[in-house]
Amino acid sequence: MTRTLFHSGRVFDGTGSPIAQADVVIEDGRIVDVGAGLDGDVGVDASGLTLLPGLFDCHVHVTGSGLDLPTRLEQPFSYQFYAAMANLAATLDCGITTARDAEGADLGVQLALERGLIQGPRLQISISMISQTGGHGDGWRASGNHFLYGLPYPGRPDGIADGPDEVRRKVRELLRAGAEVIKVCTTGGVLSPRDDPRHRQFSPEELAVIVEEAAAQGRAVMAHATSPAGVKNAVRAGARSIEHGTILDDASIEMMVEAGTWLVPTLSAGHSLLAMADQGMRISPNALAKAREMTGVHRESVARAYAAGVKIAMGTDSGVTPHGENLLELRLMHEAGMKPEDVLAAATSSSAGLLGVADDRGTIAPGKRADLVLVDRDPYDLADLKSAIVAVYQDGARVRG
């Protein structure tokens, strides 16, 4: 096998340790050595460059392409899958080599990636998000019409369920369809038409059943939760991560620290929603009002969670926000008070821990997959890290640059 040597550059290993001068050797898609004075069969001159582990985005919607409802209503059903190809490619352009889809992508999208039919990050899928009637995932409108985030079909079951028996069956349907993580809405949301982000959704009994059924097949639960009541219920039930965490009080933060629950902030969501509205995109007035109310509070919540020691993983809500702008989240995390090294660790080793793949990727260390990103400036400068990307590697193969 050919040994490829990245030499004369610097390395951020993903743990948050200081950037250091080092060589990296990869062979057969894996990292085999990290250190000084190494050798290889083929050399990559990394002079003036820094090598990072492949980045993660733990909250994307690859079949979604924005919030313009009239445009989406005019698109044929199958358009979303062709759009997903472009969205996945745009995500890979950002140096993101692993992602978790938070609703939308089905087993077919994942298999197309795994078998090389399309190119993009490795994808962990949730397929549909479980929501109560009238909850964040219920697309019922006051007109009587329904507009869901994604229409159900054989590969993507409808996510609406009420009561312990129905939610148990819904988890089983999603697992049967190939879900690797179960997503549940424990509060209202910004974009949903008839609920309030501050209100809790699903009872503790329903949430306990969801977590129990997922755990029975070795799967974790990710909880859309934007307010303390929903966060607390999700943590008590055993959810592995809180998505958004828009409003966090001291008690919910303390519970997350004690339980080891991850926070996936998705600061990009509110930021980009307001930016798109300013640019003239047609957005529901109700959703826009909720976004304006929540954006500043969200940043404060993330700052307090970080200061308290909550584990943080990177996620953007791309699909709601534009694909290909994923690394904006890094800048927003830094602006919320996170140190640059901790931001990069959140996008690498911490995200790998959340997704349960830390033994396989997320750091630059012997035995890990050779998912790597080369950048041509100090990676702690997070203002526009995407523009600094020189090359992206998956399993040692150069896929960008």
Side-chain angles (χ1 to χ4, degrees), residues 13-71:
D13 68 4
T15 67
S17 297
I19 296 170
Q21 199 79 21
D23 298 336
V24 176
V25 178
I26 64 174
E27 183 178 0
D28 196 23
R30 294 277 173 177
I31 298 166
V32 296
D33 206 354
V34 181
L38 305 180
D39 59 14
D41 304 311
V42 177
V44 176
D45 186 358
S47 300
L49 307 178
T50 303
L51 202 59
L52 312 176
L55 303 176
F56 285 66
D57 189 334
C58 297
H59 195 119
V60 300
H61 300 277
V62 301
T63 60
S65 301
L67 301 175
D68 190 331
L69 180 56
T71 298

Side-chain angles (χ1 to χ4, degrees), residues 174-306:
L174 289 167
L175 293 170
R176 179 180 64 186
E180 297 172 294
V181 59
I182 296 298
K183 183 182 180 185
V184 60
C185 302
T186 67
T187 68
V190 169
L191 295 177
S192 37
R194 303 296 299 171
D195 61 12
D196 189 314
R198 292 164 294 200
H199 295 166
R200 73 159 179 84
Q201 295 178 1
F202 282 125
S203 68
E205 293 76 18
E206 290 167 315
L207 294 175
V209 168
I210 289 169
V211 173
E212 175 192 354
E213 283 298 318
Q217 295 195 35
R219 304 306 191 195
V221 171
M222 56 189 295
H224 162 101
T226 54
S227 64
V231 170
K232 293 170 187 175
N233 281 346
V235 174
R236 289 190 192 102
R240 187 168 176 84
S241 66
I242 299 299
E243 310 297 309
H244 314 304
T246 312
I247 308 169
L248 297 173
D249 62 11
D250 291 343
S252 57
I253 289 172
E254 183 179 349
M255 288 177 65
M256 292 179 69
V257 172
E258 291 179 355
T261 310
W262 269 269
L263 173 65
V264 182
T266 68
L267 288 161
S268 302
H271 180 279
S272 295
L273 183 64
L274 296 179
M276 288 185 288
D278 289 342
Q279 294 162 10
M281 180 175 285
R282 294 168 289 185
I283 295 172
S284 158
N286 184 34
L288 196 55
K290 288 190 277 187
R292 287 185 172 133
E293 179 185 358
M294 296 292 173
T295 298
V297 176
H298 192 181
R299 178 175 167 174
E300 293 172 6
S301 293
V302 174
R304 289 170 52 242
Y306 170 68

Side-chain angles (χ1 to χ4, degrees), residues 137-159:
D138 187 344
W140 187 90
R141 307 280 163 162
S143 63
N145 293 313
H146 284 254
F147 183 76
L148 303 174
Y149 292 101
L151 290 172
Y153 59 90
R156 187 166 68 201
D158 173 35

Side-chain angles (χ1 to χ4, degrees), residues 58-112:
C58 297
H59 195 119
V60 300
H61 300 277
V62 301
T63 60
S65 301
L67 301 175
D68 190 331
L69 180 56
T71 298
R72 292 176 67 184
L73 288 172
E74 292 298 324
Q75 289 172 346
F77 175 77
S78 60
Y79 183 88
Q80 63 187 301
F81 303 107
Y82 297 99
M85 296 170 62
N87 296 338
L88 286 159
T91 305
L92 190 60
D93 288 343
C94 297
I96 293 166
T97 55
T98 301
R100 181 177 63 169
D101 192 87
E103 180 268 341
D106 65 4
L107 187 59
V109 175
Q110 186 188 60
L111 287 177

